[in-house]
Amino acid sequence: MNDLIKTKITDFPVEDKFSQRAINLSGSVIREILKVTERPDVISFAGGLPSPKGFPNTALREAYTKVLTDNPEVALQYGPTEGYRPLREWIAEDFTKRGVPVNVDEVLIVSGSQQALDLLGKLFIDDGSKILVESPSYLGALQSFSVQNPHYATVETDDKGMIPADITADKAKDARFIYALPNFQNPTGITMTLERRQELVETCAKYGLPIIEDDPYGELRFEGEHLPSLLELGRKAGATVIRMGSFSKVLAPGLRLGFVVAPVPVINKMVQLKQATDLHTQTISQMAVYEAIKGEFFDQHLPAVRELYRKQCHFMLDALSEHFPANCKWTRPTGGMFIWASMPEHIDTASILPQVVEECKVAYVPGMPFYTDLSKAPKNNLRLSFVTVAENKIQQGISSLGNFIKNLS
């Protein structure tokens, strides 16, 4: 008995009990890079983090106080899996006011839009199922979907966004869905044109291919005209569109609040999957967010956030023009948080990153992980986030990185 007590827990080979699915998992490239950027001497353009300057601290503090003062027995209790009904009604009414009629039963509140990706992957993907994604695409979605072991078929993109003409009948055949980020795409910052949006929904309607529209950045447009959502266009074209939204970028990511707007059969099945995951999204945050936004809050809050992001973006674009070599290219986003830059083809942005961190004290995200087939992915791209770095640090970091690239060219 004493010998058993002395045995260390680590002596038991628990790893050989792991499922194959767990064994196949790998860590997030971005999360690993962020560990390095915790160093105070490193200027990080890596994280996709909203600017804390845009957090409505006072409004949220007052909202939480009111909820806990007026209705603590509800705020601190279990809640319905579908979400706090007044918040769901607000979302439905907001879409309806924008010309897209939505019923409250078509709305599900989730614990951040990353959970929506997880639930939708479980809902649609069997082992080996074909799904269509942009190339490149959002790394968090690829990680989430990959848990279900799908077969990826990629759709090419250019400076106008996804190219619907690349969705051939053969490529669409037996595909479970296509995943798209039409506004200020992560990682490229590119926005899909109206013509491409219309062509996409018409193509998907023709092939009976559901669209998952992920739009966390849509409210962060700081230039140009608003474009209709795939949900709005899809309903007119007869396409099935499942739209994901988030409060992370327009309020604060620590709230972990997102939502899904989808046909009722999709919502009902996602509710069942969510019940097996976390029962429901935390009630207190849903109630506080509703309390904060139910009036004209966003009309006052969002213009300031958009102007902040516009200034940050243009400051980085100016720094890139000043300091990067002429044989580099980059996108010019009209909203969102990211710039996608292409180096000369001989430069491998992943392999040079450790040296860049040590010598330049700068971090970025290499472009390769945003592709589904790493063996064919271009190695010369990188993603830069401009929203959380002070202007003097942007100038310093881009100057240092640009000089490093010039020396490699």
Side-chain angles (χ1 to χ4, degrees), residues 197-198 200-202 205 211 213 228-241:
R197 293 171 192 234
Q198 190 66 54
L200 176 62
V201 297
E202 291 173 356
I211 303 169
E213 178 185 22
S229 66
L230 300 181
L231 177 65
E232 178 180 349
L233 296 174
R235 291 194 170 187
K236 296 174 182 177
T240 298
V241 179

Side-chain angles (χ1 to χ4, degrees), residues 19-28 114 117-122 124-131 133 137-154 177 179 369-374:
S19 69
Q20 191 59 49
R21 179 167 289 165
I23 293 171
N24 291 341
L25 291 176
S26 59
S28 165
Q114 192 67 27
L117 291 169
D118 175 66
L119 297 177
L120 289 166
K122 292 174 179 175
F124 285 105
I125 303 172
D126 290 314
D127 190 53
S129 297
K130 183 198 295 185
I131 62 173
V133 296
S137 188
Y138 171 48
L139 178 58
L142 299 181
Q143 288 178 309
S144 183
F145 297 151
S146 291
V147 174
Q148 311 303 325
N149 194 30
H151 166 68
Y152 289 109
T154 57
F177 61 78
Y179 172 73
F370 296 95
Y371 293 86
T372 58
D373 187 347
L374 299 185

Side-chain angles (χ1 to χ4, degrees), residues 30-46:
I30 296 177
R31 291 290 167 181
E32 293 302 314
I33 292 172
L34 288 178
K35 292 179 183 178
V36 176
T37 65
E38 291 175 354
R39 290 169 39 182
D41 61 330
V42 173
I43 299 172
S44 176
F45 303 127

Side-chain angles (χ1 to χ4, degrees), residues 247-298:
F247 291 104
S248 291
K249 308 304 186 294
V250 296
L251 291 177
L255 295 167
R256 304 312 304 135
L257 273 185
F259 59 88
V260 178
V261 175
V264 171
V266 173
I267 294 295
N268 289 344
K269 191 56 67 173
M270 290 184 73
V271 166
Q272 294 173 0
L273 289 165
K274 184 171 169 60
Q275 287 170 347
T277 302
D278 66 353
L279 298 183
H280 66 90
T281 301
Q282 58 170 303
T283 307
I284 186 171
S285 287
Q286 294 185 70
M287 294 179 69
V289 165
Y290 172 69
E291 188 64 37
I293 68 175
K294 64 182 181 181
E296 303 299 322
F297 171 80
F298 278 129

Side-chain angles (χ1 to χ4, degrees), residues 98 183 215 218-219 221 223-229 232 243:
R98 296 168 186 245
N183 293 316
D215 189 29
E219 294 295 338
R221 173 178 287 278
E223 288 179 5
E225 296 297 321
H226 168 79
L227 295 175
S229 66
E232 178 180 349
R243 182 176 168 89

Side-chain angles (χ1 to χ4, degrees), residues 57-166:
N57 300 332
T58 299
L60 288 175
R61 181 170 58 249
E62 292 174 352
Y64 273 96
T65 299
K66 180 172 176 54
V67 166
L68 285 172
T69 301
D70 295 352
N71 215 352
E73 65 278 4
V74 175
L76 300 176
Q77 186 55 277
Y78 288 117
T81 305
E82 292 83 353
Y84 183 54
R85 187 175 182 88
L87 181 59
R88 293 167 60 220
E89 289 175 341
W90 184 94
I91 293 169
E93 290 169 4
D94 187 59
F95 274 97
T96 301
K97 284 189 293 186
R98 296 168 186 245
V100 189
V102 170
N103 186 280
V104 67
D105 294 329
E106 297 175 304
V107 180
L108 170 67
I109 305 296
V110 289
S111 301
S113 56
Q114 192 67 27
Q115 184 182 58
L117 291 169
D118 175 66
L119 297 177
L120 289 166
K122 292 174 179 175
L123 176 59
F124 285 105
I125 303 172
D126 290 314
D127 190 53
S129 297
K130 183 198 295 185
I131 62 173
L132 273 56
V133 296
E134 297 168 282
S135 182
S137 188
Y138 171 48
L139 178 58
L142 299 181
Q143 288 178 309
S144 183
F145 297 151
S146 291
V147 174
Q148 311 303 325
N149 194 30
H151 166 68
Y152 289 109
T154 57
V155 180
E156 293 304 314
T157 61
D158 59 17
D159 59 359
K160 296 180 180 180
M162 184 188 291
I163 304 173
D166 193 40

